Amino acid sequence: MNKAIYVATTKENSGKSIITLGLMSMLIGKTAKVGYFRPIVEDFEEGKFDNHIETVITHLI
């Protein structure tokens, strides 16, 4: 049985982040463990954090 959900699209700015926040909020209420994975992306300035990861951490912790 697969225990993973992958959110992916072929276009940018399609709402993946808001869907991810909603799914994670729902799953946190139903299971003991929820994880978040985002591939390494190096398109932001050095010393800055990934905005998507920061958003998930801020809203779910």
Side-chain angles (χ1 to χ4, degrees):
M1 178 176 171
N2 191 355
K3 295 182 180 183
I5 298 173
Y6 296 93
V7 179
T9 67
T10 57
K11 296 182 180 181
E12 295 180 11
N13 301 320
S14 59
K16 292 182 297 289
S17 296
I18 194 71
I19 296 298
T20 300
L21 288 173
L23 278 171
M24 290 192 68
S25 293
M26 182 187 72
L27 291 171
I28 285 172
K30 300 202 178 263
T31 67
K33 292 183 188 179
V34 176
Y36 177 75
F37 169 78
R38 179 166 162 84
I40 297 172
V41 179
E42 296 182 17
D43 64 347
F44 48 92
E45 296 178 28
E46 188 174 329
K48 300 279 183 175
F49 295 107
D50 187 332
N51 189 35
H52 295 281
I53 294 172
E54 290 297 313
T55 301
V56 170
I57 291 170
T58 302
H59 284 82
L60 298 175
I61 292 183

